[in-house]
Amino acid sequence: MRGFAVTLAAAGLVLTGCSGDDGAKTKAADSGSQGGGLVEVLGSLSAKGSAARYLEYGDMAHWRAIGAANDAGATGDRRWVSAMGVGLGNIALRADVVTQQTGINVYKVDRVVAYGMPPENALRLEGAFAVDDIKSKLTTLGAKPRTMGGQEGLTFTKDNQIDMNGPMVKIGLMNQLNQVVVTDKALVAGAAAAPVEAGLASSGSLKDSADHTAVASCLGDVAAALIAAPPQVAGVKLYGLGLRKPAAPGDPAVNVVCALPLVPEIKNNFTSKFTPQAKVLRDAVDGIEHDEVSAGGQTVLRATVKIKPDGPAILVQQLFLRNQLASLIDPAAPVDPAGAVMPGS
């Protein structure tokens, strides 16, 4: 699962059972809700690449800071395990083997972002990396030099190919580390060079996109998030789903839904249909507060969702991936024929 809280007091929230149009207030994004590390990560992702359509973000440093994780993985309260996997793809399932074989420890990084849809998907890890050790281990496994995005990288085989007898398959990653660029501050990897290069942007990034920065500012300082355009254009241009940072492992999970509307009708549907009484929400949600956020000349609709103690920590992301969120918020959204929105791995 790739897959997502500031406590209620720290977030300044008083959640009610439902709020309608009259209860939605417009707020300017202030310094405490500018998207934190999420906005910073957008500065490394090309606006012309596949990240513009889909990305997942995780703040691994926060999970370690509150004691919910350490360098070896999740500790204590298992509620947050699914949230820690957001942005890691299948590497989270093979983390121990990946660390041993490649020197890449995903639980020691600071931030992670998985972006794009296959075959244009890749993974960007940010933190401090032992570059020589990682390059040595990858070279020992068979990687060869390759320049990507003007930087020295490593390659195992041709773009988007899978060597069924190769080391990555034996590790259990298929071709997720087929092309790799690693520096002392970031590691970007994917099946092909183009999506890897899209994670090395120095200009023309998503941080310059008014839509993405508005949605990221709406989400605020999150431990995990997903920003995605709907599979087919309807009433919402861009979605943002997030988990607010818990101050401690025992804190309640607070999800955030941000929707950048294309048509004004979405506002009424968002506040009247996205409520605790909705069938897909009633068993997992204690309350929802609606408001609007103004950022960069854009107005984004927001719902802040208090999850019940036994509810999924990343409920709203799971609903989006099952296409249930769009059908609830946007009645014009076409039905996904596959029954699910399939993200990049």
Side-chain angles (χ1 to χ4, degrees):
M1 176 68 192
R2 304 163 201 47
F4 284 0
V6 180
T7 62
L8 293 180
L13 303 175
V14 177
L15 299 172
T16 60
C18 174
S19 62
D21 272 351
D22 293 339
K25 299 178 181 180
T26 301
K27 302 177 182 177
D30 55 36
S31 60
S33 59
Q34 289 297 311
L38 175 57
V39 170
E40 293 180 21
V41 165
L42 295 181
S44 299
L45 304 176
S46 171
K48 295 182 179 180
S50 55
R53 296 291 301 172
Y54 185 94
L55 68 87
E56 295 180 3
Y57 164 84
D59 188 335
M60 192 61 70
H62 177 73
W63 296 117
R64 293 196 306 271
I66 66 171
N70 58 27
D71 291 354
T75 62
D77 195 333
R78 306 299 293 179
R79 292 183 306 155
W80 308 112
V81 171
S82 59
M84 291 178 204
V86 174
L88 286 177
N90 292 335
I91 287 182
L93 303 176
R94 303 289 293 167
D96 55 343
V97 178
V98 172
T99 300
Q100 180 183 16
Q101 295 291 317
T102 71
I104 303 169
N105 187 337
V106 297
Y107 291 107
K108 290 183 68 174
V109 304
D110 294 333
R111 297 182 298 214
V112 303
V113 58
Y115 57 92
M117 298 285 189
E120 299 179 341
N121 56 303
L123 176 73
R124 178 181 172 89
L125 309 176
E126 296 185 351
F129 293 91
V131 178
D132 292 342
D133 180 58
I134 292 173
K135 285 186 174 181
S136 176
K137 283 183 167 64
L138 293 178
T139 300
T140 299
L141 289 173
K144 305 297 183 183
R146 181 181 185 179
T147 299
M148 289 172 276
Q151 300 192 45
E152 295 181 2
L154 292 167
T155 177
F156 281 96
T157 187
K158 294 181 180 180
D159 287 351
N160 296 316
Q161 289 192 4
I162 299 175
D163 181 357
M164 298 307 296
N165 296 314
M168 291 302 105
V169 171
K170 293 177 181 178
I171 292 174
L173 294 184
M174 303 303 284
N175 60 357
Q176 284 182 286
L177 296 180
N178 196 27
Q179 316 297 338
V180 179
V181 172
V182 58
T183 69
D184 57 348
K185 296 181 180 180
L187 183 148
V188 186
V196 169
E197 292 173 349
L200 299 168
S202 57
S203 61
S205 72
L206 285 178
K207 195 172 181 178
D208 300 320
S209 163
D211 293 348
H212 281 77
T213 53
V215 169
S217 295
C218 170
L219 288 172
D221 199 9
V222 287
L226 180 158
I227 297 180
Q232 299 180 58
V233 176
V236 174
K237 187 175 184 181
L238 195 65
Y239 287 97
L241 304 314
L243 171 70
R244 289 275 173 80
K245 288 182 176 179
D251 284 352
V254 177
N255 285 192
V256 184
V257 177
C258 295
L260 182 61
L262 272 174
V263 294
E265 292 79 10
I266 291 298
K267 177 180 177 180
N268 179 65
N269 198 68
F270 186 62
T271 55
S272 64
K273 298 294 181 62
F274 193 80
T275 71
Q277 287 73 43
K279 183 177 179 180
V280 296
L281 299 173
R282 68 172 69 123
D283 292 335
V285 170
D286 270 339
I288 298 176
E289 180 184 82
H290 291 91
D291 65 354
E292 299 173 12
V293 176
S294 177
Q298 304 271 36
T299 298
V300 186
L301 306 177
R302 178 167 64 185
T304 305
V305 185
K306 181 182 177 183
I307 306 299
K308 292 181 178 180
D310 59 348
I314 51 172
L315 172 67
V316 296
Q317 178 176 336
Q318 293 172 350
L319 293 178
F320 178 83
L321 296 176
R322 294 199 294 262
N323 205 44
Q324 292 174 298
L325 189 70
S327 62
L328 186 66
I329 293 173
D330 184 0
V335 176
D336 179 3
V341 179
M342 297 303 293
S345 60

